[in-house]
Amino acid sequence: MSIPPLLALLVAWSVLGTACGLWLDRRQAAAIAAHRDQVPPAFASSVSLEQHQRAAAYGLARLRTNVVSSLTDLAVGLAALLFGFDLAARLVGSLVPEGVIRSVLILGVLWIAATVIAVPMQAFRVLVLEHRFGFNRTSAVAFARDTILQIMLSAAIGAPLLAGLFLAMRDLHGPWWLLAWAALSLLTLAAPSFYLRIIAPLFNRFVPLRAAIAAPVTALLERTGFRAGALLEMDASKRSSRGNAYVMGIGPAKRIVLFDTLIDAHPADEIEAVVAHELGHLHHRHTITGTLRGIVMLFGLCAAVGFLSRQPWLQPGFGISHPDPSLGLMLSLLLVGIAGPALSLAGNAVSRRHEYQADAFARRMVGAAPMISALTRLSRDNASTLTPDRLYSLVHHTHPPVPLRVARLIEEASA
Ligand SMILES: [Zn+2]
């Protein structure tokens, strides 16, 4: 039996991708282990050897878990390619007549299978790994509730979207992908307010920012010429001890959200620096240009999928014996995904440049010292490694490693 050519291509690509990923993980593990016994000199006064070694133990444990999940993902991906797609189409096809509902159900079955396999790994990460290092604050019951809610939401949002997509595919033939692009672009634009108003409150409670922090943040907003619709505090502490902050939405209606964990762990000037950093992203229009870039890339994706999915060679090229538009869509996406690693490398590089710009903005607004101490404390409390492998970091990190950010802040402050 000969293996169909496109199938062979994707199998080889998946194996190569996993091998590269594991090789990078090994480099990262070696970089962490090699520096485990000494705190980098720049952090000698702010990070203890014990904290540094805890970060190393945590980083190595995560990398070990990643070996298991990478190999599981590869096995699941190969099983889907080699027989899963065809099996799902055959099973659903034997119960449901050809049409939009059948197509949605085929993807539904594949998604449920993927979810059933992914959930135990995620449970291990949160309830065992994060717990062991003191980050987890959620119980098994709360984790199950979150997971079920997420699954229900994904189904409730995804199924109608897919049905609309398959209807357009069936009735519009050629230009269906243009309509899909327009609809997905609108969704991209509406997603932040939809998320803030409807999704996020299902998972967390948002209350007005406590006065002691609201006052300096309001002063900062005035100083930087920004307006916000709301300053909010989120009860992140019920799930994890990790601190964070985000600014979402555009114009005067935007919301600034601070995790209670950030507020509890940092002095006011550091919180101000973190918010100033987020405002730096707005000042440099990173959010809006990022959204526009996303919409342009979406156009390329939809055009490519529109072209590939109607090619008569596509499904036979993967050895599919029960063709369906849902598999055409899925396989087109997998083929387009070959460009994924290159796009993600470029995207991370842009993102890292933006982080430096936002840091520089914060430095100009609140000074380098609070930004440096905020970054140091975040890195220390989150047990992030201070000694990452350079290549691993280039491939995986959307943010420059904290030592590089701190060095840049010091360098710019003294310039
Ligand atoms: Zn940032």
Side-chain angles (χ1 to χ4, degrees):
M1 186 188 103
S2 72
I3 181 163
L6 287 176
L7 184 58
L9 172 74
L10 267 192
V11 166
W13 186 249
S14 309
V15 173
L16 181 69
T18 305
C20 288
L22 291 173
W23 174 70
L24 281 173
D25 284 0
R26 266 190 56 179
R27 286 182 60 106
Q28 172 79 340
I32 292 176
H35 299 97
R36 185 174 12 202
D37 294 325
Q38 204 202 345
V39 181
F43 295 88
S45 62
S46 50
V47 177
S48 72
L49 182 62
E50 193 194 344
Q51 288 164 333
H52 179 65
Q53 288 181 332
R54 170 171 168 267
Y58 176 62
L60 292 172
R62 273 173 49 130
L63 287 164
R64 277 194 298 273
T65 310
N66 202 47
V67 174
V68 179
S69 64
S70 297
L71 292 175
T72 312
D73 288 349
L74 177 64
V76 170
L78 292 184
L81 276 173
L82 293 170
F83 60 84
F85 291 157
D86 214 27
L87 182 67
R90 204 163 62 229
L91 274 178
V92 176
S94 67
L95 301 169
V96 185
E98 194 177 334
V100 168
I101 295 181
R102 183 205 275 189
S103 296
V104 173
L105 284 175
I106 291 173
L107 290 190
V109 165
L110 289 169
W111 174 70
I112 289 169
T115 305
V116 164
I117 295 163
V119 165
M121 200 67 216
Q122 180 60 10
F124 174 80
R125 280 210 173 90
V126 173
L127 299 172
V128 180
L129 187 62
E130 294 285 291
H131 192 80
R132 194 192 310 153
F133 287 89
F135 292 124
N136 176 47
R137 301 258 181 90
T138 193
S139 65
V141 173
F143 176 82
R145 177 193 163 274
D146 279 356
T147 306
I148 291 167
L149 190 56
Q150 278 159 7
I151 289 173
M152 279 166 45
L153 274 173
S154 305
I157 296 170
L161 275 180
L162 282 174
L165 194 67
F166 290 128
L167 266 177
M169 251 171 146
R170 191 189 66 188
D171 296 341
L172 294 176
H173 307 288
W176 70 268
W177 62 269
L178 262 179
L179 189 74
W181 172 66
L184 290 172
S185 301
L186 281 178
L187 271 177
T188 308
L189 292 172
S193 29
F194 180 72
Y195 175 80
L196 280 176
R197 278 162 223 284
I198 305 196
I199 307 283
L202 294 174
F203 292 92
N204 284 97
R205 231 162 63 87
F206 293 82
V207 295
L209 192 57
R210 58 190 86 165
I213 304 299
V217 169
T218 307
L220 174 69
L221 282 169
E222 274 165 17
R223 216 160 62 237
T224 49
F226 284 106
R227 283 199 295 158
L231 301 178
L232 300 170
E233 186 174 326
M234 184 183 110
D235 60 345
S237 59
K238 71 176 183 181
R239 293 201 180 77
S240 158
S241 63
R242 293 168 190 283
N244 208 343
Y246 62 83
V247 178
M248 216 181 241
I250 40 174
K254 67 178 148 312
R255 291 173 178 207
I256 297 182
V257 177
L258 300 185
F259 288 16
D260 56 353
T261 41
L262 180 87
I263 301 172
D264 292 336
H266 294 254
D269 64 336
E270 290 183 13
I271 295 172
E272 220 183 317
V274 170
V275 175
H277 170 98
E278 295 303 322
L279 294 177
H281 285 305
L282 289 182
H283 174 80
H284 290 287
R285 301 187 191 288
H286 295 155
T287 321
I288 189 79
T289 53
T291 306
L292 293 178
R293 211 172 42 240
I295 287 176
V296 170
M297 280 171 59
L298 207 52
F299 183 87
L301 176 75
C302 289
V305 169
F307 170 79
L308 287 170
S309 62
R310 68 166 180 268
Q311 300 308 314
W313 44 259
L314 180 74
Q315 301 196 41
F318 283 96
I320 298 291
S321 61
H322 293 70
D324 186 274
S326 58
L327 296 188
L329 178 70
M330 192 83 174
L331 296 169
S332 308
L333 283 171
L334 287 176
L335 278 182
V336 178
I338 288 183
L343 288 175
S344 134
L345 271 176
N348 286 350
V350 170
S351 165
R352 286 192 299 263
R353 207 182 66 221
H354 288 175
E355 292 307 321
Y356 283 129
Q357 288 176 340
D359 281 351
F361 180 83
R363 173 180 54 75
R364 293 196 299 273
M365 292 304 144
V366 301
M371 192 69 232
I372 290 172
S373 55
L375 285 172
T376 305
R377 194 187 305 272
L378 277 169
S379 166
R380 190 181 67 202
D381 292 356
N382 291 337
S384 310
T385 179
L386 292 170
T387 62
D389 175 61
R390 202 176 134 65
L391 203 56
Y392 178 92
S393 189
L394 282 181
V395 173
H396 285 292
H397 292 159
T398 55
H399 287 54
V402 162
L404 296 185
R405 290 173 74 180
V406 167
R408 178 79 67 103
L409 281 162
I410 292 172
E411 184 188 316
E412 288 173 346
S414 60

